[in-house]
Amino acid sequence: MRRPTVSGCAAALPRLTLLAALAVWLLSVSALPVPAQAQAGGEEAGVQVIRVTAEKFEFKPEKIVLTKGKPVVLELISLDRVHGFRCPGLGIRVDVAPNKVTRVPLTPDKAGSFPFVCDVFCGDGHDEMSGVIEVKE
Amino acid sequence: MNTMDRRGFLKVAGVGGALLLTYPGSGALAAAAGAGKGFSFVQFADTHVGYANPPVNPDASASLQKGVDWVNAMTPQPDFVVFTGDLTHTTDDPQERRRRLTEFKRIAGGLKPKAVYFLPGEHDAGLDWGEAYKEILGKTHYMFQHKGVHFLVIDNVSDPAASVGEAQLAWIAAELARIPKADPLVVLTHRPLFDLYPEWDWATKDADKVLALLEPHTNVTVLYGHIHQEHHHQSGHIGQHAGMSTAYLLPAPGSVPKKAPVPWDAAAPYKGMGLRIVQDDVAKPTPEFTEKPLAGM
């Protein structure tokens, strides 16, 4: 009976090694970053998820409207380099890195207008990289 | 003591935000070397060489030169000049960054005062952790003394996240341990050492750790830039004083929804830019400041 064969480099690998390599590859694929354009917000278990992207030199969206007492999750991701997201009025301060989603659960307990800013210097235009979270009653 | 190489001293000048600080020989200085011989120096803040935005400032480099010329005409001359960061405007191009730093050095080199001290702003050092700055202007943090007054230069910008960092904090602690607690101490830095308005990134993340190190010292004054306007704040007994920019004006903290340079006013050129003269009082070791608009120079 003819034995099944594999071609190319894999042909030289023992079957066990091939399986191990396949497992490593699958693991690496599952750890790949979430594409920036994917998962643009949504809802998880009744909690609104809001995707916020950071890119020299703007956040999108620049204005985030929330409701007092209603929990949300901010999903922050950079499209180019490391930025910062700091919203002093709501006590938020996180790094925003490329190829990584940073999740910030938030239940605003006060209404008002709360500015946020990039606080990791990112070049000309950094000074104007900002936005605002509006919390309604 | 970390003192800049003498050859690295440029003559200082400052455009709009120069600060003249005078020590007439206060009681605190009486026990120090040089007591009874007050002195002055000029602070320049945020000169932003390379800044090109005519609606905000038709020629920022000319503004710096204007300040240099003013300092050169001072009588008597200040003992030295300090630049508290953002000497140049940022660029993503490493070669252009070096060109701008070199151009700044050339202009500052036209100052008559023999000694000039520099420190970086985030525009100079925040994109390469101070690599180009150190190549052209030297150390980003150091200490020097002048006629009995200690000057501590702190770098809170080479880390783009605006932290002084544990290594520099340890160095500061070691340097301060050598200073008698009652000696006059001037801290020179770029960002405020307090949360002035973090919504506009006007803060230093680990400022509280720096202030904790400074707290035991009874006569501390902090001079900084970054916010492009005059500002005074007390952190306990520590006074913090921002100087004006020579390049452009920024709005008062939180006064507008979005931070942006104030447009050039043709009816009032150099509005918001100028010098600040500070004089000490024999009875009070804390310096006093007097604004000198660049428009009047």
Side-chain angles (χ1 to χ4, degrees):
Chain A
M1 177 184 284
R2 188 179 179 189
R3 298 178 61 184
T5 60
V6 290
S7 59
C9 295
L13 293 175
R15 185 170 300 167
L16 192 58
T17 303
L18 184 61
L19 289 172
L22 180 62
V24 169
W25 179 81
L26 286 171
L27 283 173
S28 67
V29 168
S30 65
L32 281 176
V34 178
Q37 67 275 20
Q39 299 182 9
E43 193 166 297
E44 290 178 359
V47 176
Q48 184 184 9
V49 177
I50 300 172
R51 167 61 58 93
V52 180
T53 61
E55 184 178 20
K56 296 193 297 185
F57 299 98
E58 62 181 353
F59 291 102
K60 290 182 180 176
E62 282 190 323
K63 182 177 181 179
I64 302 168
V65 179
L66 305 179
T67 301
K68 179 182 171 183
K70 183 179 178 182
V72 298
V73 173
L74 302 181
E75 282 192 343
L76 300 147
I77 187 168
S78 171
L79 303 184
D80 47 23
R81 50 154 292 155
V82 174
H83 295 280
F85 183 92
R86 186 176 188 183
C87 182
L90 295 175
I92 302 169
R93 202 283 125 193
V94 293
D95 283 338
V96 184
N99 300 324
K100 177 185 175 186
V101 175
T102 299
R103 293 169 61 86
V104 180
L106 171 66
T107 305
D109 60 358
K110 53 190 174 185
S113 180
F114 304 98
F116 59 83
V117 66
C118 173
D119 68 349
V120 174
F121 186 71
C122 55
D124 195 8
H126 163 79
D127 285 350
E128 296 165 37
M129 187 170 171
S130 61
V132 65
I133 296 177
E134 300 279 359
V135 181
K136 298 180 177 179
E137 287 287 355
Chain B
M1 180 178 81
N2 291 288
T3 305
M4 292 184 67
D5 189 297
R6 187 75 180 177
R7 290 171 296 182
F9 291 168
L10 300 181
K11 300 171 180 182
V12 180
V15 180
L19 168 68
L20 177 61
L21 179 59
T22 304
Y23 283 92
S26 68
L29 286 173
K37 297 180 181 177
F39 68 93
S40 65
F41 67 93
V42 173
Q43 179 198 5
F44 284 90
D46 301 280
T47 53
H48 284 267
V49 168
Y51 184 63
N53 189 356
V56 169
N57 187 338
D59 193 339
S61 293
S63 298
L64 171 57
Q65 187 62 55
K66 187 179 179 72
V68 169
D69 294 343
W70 182 83
V71 170
N72 287 344
M74 287 175 65
T75 304
Q77 282 283 286
D79 280 16
F80 59 89
V81 178
V82 299
F83 285 85
T84 51
D86 281 359
L87 319 175
T88 63
H89 197 72
T90 192
T91 169
D92 287 346
D93 181 347
Q95 293 308 312
E96 176 62 13
R97 183 175 308 122
R98 285 163 174 79
R99 192 199 68 76
R100 292 182 185 184
L101 285 164
T102 302
E103 172 65 3
F104 163 81
K105 189 174 180 178
R106 184 192 67 77
I107 297 172
L111 284 162
K112 283 184 179 177
K114 301 302 181 189
V116 179
Y117 298 88
F118 308 102
L119 60 92
E122 73 279 2
H123 280 254
D124 308 304
L127 292 184
D128 66 358
W129 289 82
E131 181 181 326
Y133 178 94
K134 285 183 274 193
E135 280 179 26
I136 294 167
L137 294 174
K139 295 180 179 178
T140 64
H141 62 279
Y142 52 95
M143 200 160 184
F144 65 95
Q145 285 77 35
H146 188 78
K147 294 182 178 177
V149 178
H150 306 276
F151 292 83
L152 175 64
V153 179
I154 295 176
D155 173 4
N156 53 9
V157 298
S158 288
D159 176 355
S163 288
V164 172
E166 293 302 322
Q168 192 180 180
L169 286 166
W171 171 82
I172 292 170
E175 291 292 317
L176 292 180
R178 304 176 192 175
I179 300 174
K181 299 293 187 289
D183 275 13
L185 171 63
V186 175
V187 177
L188 304 172
T189 192
H190 182 65
R191 290 170 167 268
L193 293 176
F194 66 102
D195 277 354
L196 195 166
Y197 197 63
E199 288 85 350
W200 285 1
D201 199 23
W202 286 0
T204 299
K205 287 200 178 62
D206 48 3
D208 56 337
K209 294 181 179 178
V210 178
L211 292 179
L213 295 173
L214 294 172
E215 200 281 334
H217 295 263
T218 56
N219 180 19
V220 184
T221 300
V222 178
L223 304 180
Y224 68 99
H226 190 56
I227 67 168
H228 291 230
Q229 61 196 282
E230 178 192 5
H231 192 277
H232 306 278
H233 173 83
Q234 283 297 129
S235 302
H237 67 283
I238 299 172
Q240 302 203 38
H241 310 278
M244 291 185 287
S245 167
T246 60
Y248 57 90
L249 173 67
L250 286 172
S255 61
V256 294
K258 202 171 182 72
K259 179 181 65 175
V262 176
W264 181 263
D265 184 350
Y270 305 105
K271 180 181 179 181
M273 294 182 267
L275 306 178
R276 192 165 61 180
I277 301 173
V278 181
Q279 292 186 314
D280 210 340
D281 185 293
V282 174
K284 297 188 301 179
T286 303
E288 295 178 358
F289 301 83
T290 302
E291 298 303 316
K292 299 288 283 186
L294 190 63
M297 296 179 185

